[in-house]
Amino acid sequence: MKTNTCSVSFSINGEKKTFATRPDEKLLDLLRREGYKGTKYGCGQGTCGACTVIMDGRAVYACLLYAMQAEGRKVRTIESMGTYDKPAPIQQELVAAGAVQCGYCIPGIIMSATALMETEKDISDEVAKEYMDGNLCRCTGYEKIWVALRRTLDRAAAEPKKKASKGGKK
Amino acid sequence: MPEIIVKPASLKELWKTLPALGKARRYLAGGTDIVTADNAGAESSECWVDISDLPELGAIKETARALFIGSGVKISAIENSAPARRWCPALIAAIPHFASPSLRNMATLGGNAANGSPCADGVCALVAEGAFVHLAHNGKKRCLPLKDLFLGPKRTALEKDELITAFEVPKTKHFGAYLKLGPRAYFGISKAAVAVSLEMSGKTVKRASIALGSVAPVPFYAVKTSAWLAGKPLSSEVVLAAAALVMTEVSPITDSRSEADYRREMCGVLLERALKSVCR
């Protein structure tokens, strides 16, 4: 039982850490304060998806979670994805498609796409679009983001060997 | 804004802890409604009681006669539950319309009901499913038809500190549908929504249960239309007559999302489509 606790421990991008926090602090604010600034504040209403992180394998909105609710969980942010020199496939495709304009929504887009690819198999257009439903982009009109995501999914599907050795049974 | 968040490990511990807490307290489940309010500066409770991991609220259980969906089960977990898919077709049909995937990973049916909004998709579907809601307060337990939980916009029959523990859906073989008219195909608050649960005997309706969202002060059970449909063959004349009847039952208002007359008209259209989808 925890009352007015001012520390929270959880795994962040595979690293177990303990942070000082207050009961009213949102997970998003803690992450940004601790330097995970790829995760953005957009609407504060669970609508835009700019703050999307992956918690225990599922995409959630960090603006609607208190930091203390992350206790004992596994949190992944955009910082766990590729780097400038070694981008993840989805990041490569987003760049190649010219899908990034202001870029504010992109970390959230990438986290939702990652949740999609790690949860579903044989991903149809319909399922992919449903997963991306909670992420808004005000620049691009979505078409180029969609092209990049579809290419990433097709690329992953064309590499069955790698997938089979990673995920076991198909 | 919470000054303190308390997280009991069990229901027993919850009841023991509550009396010692500050008076301005409230339960925190998925948080998708009340944390949004907190972010907007519209939530004044000082003490939040985090019930999101209470084991007693977190399971879907099946008995011989009913399905029990714990109030703390995430909407996305219901979507993936085989017994829920089997026994709650209207609820399952409503889930794609329930906010967005990320919110469905957070939100719960308990919160959807406790929030008391007339536009709650999950609750509207559950009312059509003929669900009962189980409530607990310390040692006291009670159970009422879900439709009776709602008293008005954002007003419920929940007493102070009373907790929704589960929703009970009777196991009957039936068809279900959920149609929603919102600002866009997905992810928006409805202008009008219709949930239908139909037990059929051949082409004849044995039992109909119709609920509507966003067109009355509460998630609305259409008692007249539901009763009228029982025993009738589901012909196109009957479907049209039911659609006309439901329009006389609802009491929509004009607000920022839509207009009263349009909403009333759409209740007929949505019900017609929902019933036709069952005919097919």
Side-chain angles (χ1 to χ4, degrees):
Chain A
M1 162 111 198
K2 299 186 72 174
T3 305
N4 212 4
T5 311
C6 287
S7 82
V8 59
S9 303
F10 56 91
S11 155
I12 173 79
N13 300 333
E15 224 181 316
K16 192 134 204 270
K17 286 193 179 178
T18 300
F19 303 100
T21 185
R22 295 187 322 267
D24 63 342
E25 186 172 50
K26 303 285 154 32
L27 178 61
L28 172 63
D29 298 321
L30 182 147
L31 290 173
R32 292 187 56 81
R33 182 165 59 71
E34 292 291 336
Y36 301 93
K37 291 198 171 173
T39 311
K40 309 295 189 207
Y41 179 89
C43 67
Q45 297 179 359
T47 300
C48 75
C51 67
T52 305
V53 298
I54 297 179
M55 189 184 260
D56 291 347
R58 295 211 164 248
V60 294
Y61 294 141
C63 78
L64 294 185
L65 284 163
Y66 291 101
M68 283 170 65
Q69 290 180 286
E71 179 69 39
R73 315 246 180 219
K74 287 192 181 117
V75 178
R76 275 175 65 195
T77 66
I78 184 69
E79 282 81 7
S80 71
M81 302 297 294
T83 60
Y84 186 84
D85 297 320
K86 261 187 142 181
I90 176 76
Q91 290 170 312
Q92 281 174 14
E93 294 296 349
L94 284 165
V95 172
V100 183
Q101 286 188 32
C102 87
Y104 203 80
C105 71
I106 296 295
I109 298 264
I110 291 171
M111 297 321 282
S112 285
T114 303
L116 162 73
M117 289 186 277
E118 291 180 356
T119 314
E120 303 290 335
K121 281 186 277 186
D122 306 325
I123 301 161
S124 67
D125 286 5
E126 204 189 355
V127 168
K129 285 186 177 171
E130 200 194 310
Y131 264 79
M132 304 309 292
D133 207 17
N135 293 83
L136 303 184
C137 166
R138 300 285 85 164
C139 300
T140 64
Y142 303 103
E143 191 53 34
K144 291 176 175 180
I145 293 173
W146 171 242
V147 167
L149 176 58
R150 193 63 256 178
R151 278 189 197 146
T152 313
L153 297 176
D154 293 343
R155 249 173 80 178
E159 293 169 23
K161 265 187 190 167
K162 225 175 157 185
K163 228 182 170 183
S165 62
K166 222 179 165 186
K169 290 172 280 180
K170 218 190 160 186
Chain B
M1 193 177 278
E3 283 167 19
I4 167 173
I5 299 180
V6 179
K7 190 170 181 182
S10 68
L11 264 187
K12 214 173 148 192
E13 196 180 306
L14 169 74
W15 304 131
K16 237 194 253 173
T17 315
L18 277 182
L21 300 174
K23 284 237 164 70
R25 59 188 178 230
R26 67 176 307 172
Y27 292 125
L28 170 66
T32 55
D33 284 311
I34 58 175
V35 183
T36 305
D38 184 26
N39 280 343
E43 177 50 61
S44 58
S45 306
E46 293 148 14
C47 174
W48 295 41
V49 183
D50 184 351
I51 54 168
S52 58
D53 282 330
L54 279 181
E56 293 91 340
L57 312 184
I60 298 179
K61 286 180 204 149
E62 216 177 335
T63 65
R65 286 168 46 207
L67 187 70
F68 290 83
I69 304 175
S71 61
V73 178
K74 305 287 185 204
I75 303 296
S76 54
I78 298 170
E79 195 173 9
N80 296 320
S81 147
R85 299 194 79 86
R86 178 149 184 222
W87 299 112
C88 309
L91 176 62
I92 294 296
I95 289 178
H97 299 283
F98 192 118
S100 69
S102 311
L103 279 171
R104 295 201 286 273
N105 288 333
M106 306 171 74
T108 66
L109 280 181
N112 204 219
N115 191 44
S117 166
C119 66
D121 293 305
V123 168
C124 180
L126 269 184
V127 168
E129 299 281 16
F132 294 86
V133 61
H134 289 260
L135 310 173
H137 184 204
N138 218 336
K140 279 189 289 181
K141 286 180 183 173
R142 60 180 180 138
C143 169
L144 53 156
L146 178 60
K147 65 180 166 55
D148 297 337
L149 183 71
F150 307 102
L151 307 178
K154 300 251 169 185
R155 282 201 304 124
T156 66
L158 282 166
E159 283 163 19
K160 185 169 168 58
D161 291 336
E162 198 171 32
L163 185 68
I164 300 175
T165 53
F167 299 90
E168 175 186 349
V169 180
K171 289 203 317 203
T172 54
K173 255 199 161 170
H174 64 276
F175 296 95
Y178 189 86
L179 295 178
K180 165 168 163 175
L181 186 71
R184 58 194 85 85
Y186 288 102
F187 200 10
I189 297 169
S190 60
K191 299 169 194 280
V194 171
V196 169
S197 150
L198 284 183
E199 249 181 275
M200 300 293 291
S201 165
K203 296 216 159 170
T204 305
V205 178
K206 227 168 113 190
R207 181 193 56 80
S209 178
I210 294 159
L212 300 105
S214 297
V215 290
V218 294
F220 181 70
Y221 179 69
V223 59
K224 280 191 212 158
T225 312
S226 301
W228 184 84
L229 271 168
K232 301 229 168 32
L234 212 50
S235 64
S236 32
E237 293 77 28
V238 166
V239 167
L240 285 175
L245 181 58
V246 86
M247 283 164 58
T248 66
E249 262 198 287
V250 295
S251 54
I253 56 164
T254 296
D255 62 13
S256 58
R257 292 203 288 276
S258 190
E259 284 176 18
D261 289 346
Y262 178 70
R263 282 179 148 144
R264 187 183 301 279
E265 195 78 25
M266 288 308 109
C267 289
V269 172
L270 291 174
L271 180 61
E272 186 188 330
R273 287 183 192 163
L275 291 174
K276 278 185 179 160
S277 77
V278 174
C279 300
R280 262 188 273 118

